[in-house]
Amino acid sequence: MTAENAKHPDFLETTRASYDAIAPAYTEAFSDWPADSNALDRSLVAAFAELARELAPAPVADIGSGPGSITAHLHALGLPVFGVDISPRMVALARRAHPELRFHVGSMTSLDLPDETLGGIIALYSIIHVPDDHLLTTFAEFHRVLRPGAPLLLAFQSGDTEDHLHLTERFGREIALDYYWRTTDTVTDTLTKAGLQLQARILREPQDEEKRPRAFVLARRSETR
Ligand SMILES: C[S@@+](CC[C@H](N)C(=O)[O-])C[C@H]1O[C@@H](n2cnc3c(N)ncnc32)[C@H](O)[C@@H]1O
């Protein structure tokens, strides 16, 4: 174990076990995207899809795909998309709901994909479970697997690092799940360090039951190697 991952040695295992425990309830609660989504969020996903289509037929990955409803939406928008999620149970439920699509078990911190193969990556509300000291490695992984010019869209709840949340119960199930809140500056600085080019950043005010502003960051891998 390196000094780098000594701080959060088990975060992948605890995240996987937690989402496995809540996968059916989470899917039941959050699989109505895009019907349940905000018009602005949908328009950003549509912009991402348009940019990714320029690199078609290169495949697009929805990383931290959860119930798979955003993967299915991107498929409906004409993208050759597949999902990746750390939770085998979440992947099983996504496959059951969307049998025409591919979903794989995997972690964004170490993707089982060759270099420069993807025409885009979308990761909505999934980097929130990656500790700060693993964020640069994760973005370097995104950079490695993206083709030159390919877009990356991230969404996350914006907040201060000190407000880090550790949940031991959700949907009545015992879990050990960490949520890392960050500012857009922290995320965009780290993306830049990983070699990605920033395209846009948007901070949307919380709506309805949302507790924190929603940040969207669009970046891309440079055209030149
Ligand atoms: C809050 S849910 C978001 C699901 C979906 N993207 C959405 O917006 O509805 C976070 C998802 O990310 C997955 N996840 C967390 N850490 C991950 C990792 N290191 N690699 C891949 N998936 C991960 C979880 O299993 C979960 O399905």
Side-chain angles (χ1 to χ4, degrees):
M1 186 185 296
T2 63
E4 177 73 343
N5 64 18
K7 227 165 145 190
H8 303 281
D10 301 327
F11 77 97
L12 293 176
E13 194 38 52
T14 51
T15 304
R16 179 184 297 117
S18 298
Y19 271 100
D20 272 353
I22 62 173
Y26 187 95
T27 299
E28 171 106 21
F30 296 111
S31 53
D32 271 351
W33 214 95
D36 269 0
S37 68
N38 177 285
L40 182 66
D41 302 6
R42 275 197 305 282
S43 70
L44 293 168
V45 171
F48 164 81
E50 198 168 315
L51 292 168
R53 258 197 307 268
E54 288 170 14
L55 283 101
V60 168
D62 177 7
I63 299 188
S65 44
S69 37
I70 292 158
T71 327
H73 180 67
L74 289 169
H75 174 70
L77 291 178
L79 289 184
V81 62
F82 64 95
V84 176
D85 201 283
I86 198 167
S87 155
R89 204 156 177 216
M90 208 55 120
V91 164
L93 290 171
R95 284 181 183 149
R96 193 189 299 165
H98 307 286
E100 73 287 9
L101 299 179
R102 287 183 301 125
F103 293 92
H104 307 290
V105 176
S107 174
M108 66 179 87
T109 51
S110 170
L111 290 165
D112 189 14
L113 292 167
D115 296 356
E116 299 186 15
T117 40
L118 296 183
I121 290 177
I122 188 164
L124 304 188
Y125 308 105
S126 50
I127 64 162
I128 57 173
H129 299 302
V130 174
D132 290 343
D133 52 340
H134 290 262
L135 198 60
L136 180 57
T137 319
T138 301
F139 290 167
E141 231 358 44
F142 290 175
H143 181 271
R144 180 183 70 77
V145 299
L146 284 171
R147 287 194 178 184
L152 163 69
L153 180 66
L154 301 175
F156 52 95
Q157 292 90 339
S158 168
D160 293 324
T161 312
E162 304 78 60
D163 290 342
H164 161 246
L165 182 68
H166 176 79
L167 285 190
T168 53
E169 185 271 329
R170 207 177 167 198
F171 298 112
R173 302 298 307 264
E174 206 176 302
I175 57 169
L177 190 56
D178 290 291
Y179 296 74
Y180 300 92
W181 313 129
R182 305 179 171 104
T183 61
T184 40
D185 279 350
T186 301
V187 170
T188 56
D189 288 353
T190 312
L191 281 174
T192 308
K193 277 191 196 130
L196 290 152
Q197 291 181 333
L198 180 64
Q199 305 274 281
R201 56 173 107 183
I202 288 167
L203 199 60
R204 164 168 85 57
E205 289 305 310
Q207 300 192 353
D208 305 325
E209 308 293 298
E210 295 172 354
K211 294 194 180 89
R212 296 177 176 78
R214 301 291 169 122
F216 293 85
V217 173
L218 182 67
R220 67 169 196 163
R221 182 170 168 158
S222 154
E223 292 282 359
T224 51
R225 291 201 169 84

